[in-house]
Amino acid sequence: MKFLNNQSMRILTAVLVLQAVIFYGLSRKEYEPNTLPLSSVPMTFGGWTLAQEGVVDKETQDVLKADDLLSRSYINLSAREQAHLFVAFFRSQRTGKTPHSPKNCLPGNGWVQSIADQIAIEVPGVSRPLVVNHYIVAKGDAKSVVLYWYQSRDRVVASEYRAKFYVMADAIRYNRTDTSLIRVVVPVTESNDVAATKSAVDFVKAFYVPLRQYLPS
């Protein structure tokens, strides 16, 4: 065991052990949780009502490769606010099916960001604030606030890198790699970024708890 006194050998041994653990975790038959279809998500919650059921065309579905999709526009008549909700659920990521980050998709579709940070949202009934990505983007005369995050089990993750880390950790510990991408888009009117962000936050506060019933925990 003298070779373990060598720092390089200790590092190499640790790497080999880690690889063995990862290989074991990824080689087992994966647990894929059963879920309710996203199409059964409520049409009304917290003052918000379904305004339009979106249609994701086959070409987009083939690119996303999600196991279930939800694309809806909601409206709050009393506050005269509207918001678009998009959810992409992936039952497993072992076959290369992973969420497409809005951070990359938005610029690819011509949207230019002016703000890219993270905000914390306190949701009633949830023990800790949701830390989510907060973007303000524009394309031509159109401007929108975008909030998005990754939802795995009971975990909300904003960072793409942390999300990938947790995928590996869940694969090893729980033998599962399911995740969801959740995105909210609210149009900016009268150049009022603050009001649009508030609308997006209020929408998240209203739908988050009901939506969680349709995603695995």
Side-chain angles (χ1 to χ4, degrees):
M1 302 294 289
K2 291 183 178 180
F3 74 95
L4 291 177
N5 293 327
N6 183 285
Q7 183 178 7
S8 298
M9 292 305 298
R10 288 200 300 270
I11 294 173
L12 177 60
T13 300
V15 170
L16 291 174
V17 171
L18 179 61
Q19 287 178 336
V21 171
I22 292 174
F23 176 78
Y24 170 73
L26 297 180
S27 63
R28 295 175 293 164
K29 179 175 175 55
E30 183 175 8
Y31 166 71
E32 296 184 5
N34 293 320
T35 57
L36 296 171
L38 291 175
S39 59
S40 58
V41 168
M43 296 184 180
T44 61
F45 41 73
W48 295 86
T49 303
L50 177 66
Q52 183 176 6
E53 189 80 51
V55 177
V56 182
D57 59 80
K58 187 178 184 305
E59 182 179 355
T60 302
Q61 291 183 34
D62 291 341
V63 172
L64 294 175
K65 298 180 180 178
D67 293 294
D68 199 1
L69 291 168
L70 178 69
S71 179
R72 285 180 178 176
S73 292
Y74 285 83
I75 188 169
N76 188 325
L77 293 175
S78 62
R80 297 184 180 180
E81 299 169 335
Q82 58 180 311
H84 184 266
L85 172 64
F86 176 83
V87 182
F89 170 66
F90 298 81
R91 200 174 302 279
S92 170
Q93 297 183 74
R94 289 185 176 178
T95 57
K97 297 190 298 182
T98 60
H100 289 247
S101 170
K103 181 173 65 176
N104 300 321
C105 295
L106 290 170
N109 289 323
W111 291 90
V112 179
Q113 68 184 42
S114 57
I115 291 179
D117 56 14
Q118 295 180 356
I119 60 175
I121 302 175
E122 294 189 2
V123 177
V126 178
S127 59
R128 63 181 64 182
L130 314 182
V131 178
V132 306
N133 294 296
H134 168 238
Y135 279 26
I136 295 180
V137 296
K139 181 167 68 172
D141 294 331
K143 194 175 184 182
S144 296
V145 168
V146 179
L147 304 181
Y148 79 90
W149 68 91
Y150 302 94
Q151 183 82 40
S152 298
R153 300 191 295 112
D154 293 325
R155 181 192 303 123
V156 171
V157 182
S159 165
E160 279 80 8
Y161 299 105
R162 287 186 61 205
K164 292 182 183 300
F165 168 81
Y166 284 123
V167 166
M168 188 66 69
D170 285 348
I172 295 170
R173 186 175 182 183
Y174 300 108
N175 194 30
R176 57 188 287 188
T177 61
D178 53 283
T179 193
S180 300
L181 168 68
I182 302 176
R183 185 189 68 199
V184 172
V185 179
V186 171
V188 175
T189 58
E190 299 179 357
S191 301
N192 196 334
D193 300 350
V194 174
T197 297
K198 182 180 182 303
S199 294
V201 168
D202 290 343
F203 183 62
V204 172
K205 290 180 177 181
F207 84 75
Y208 181 77
V209 172
L211 177 66
R212 288 292 295 115
Q213 301 176 42
Y214 299 85
L215 299 175
S217 59

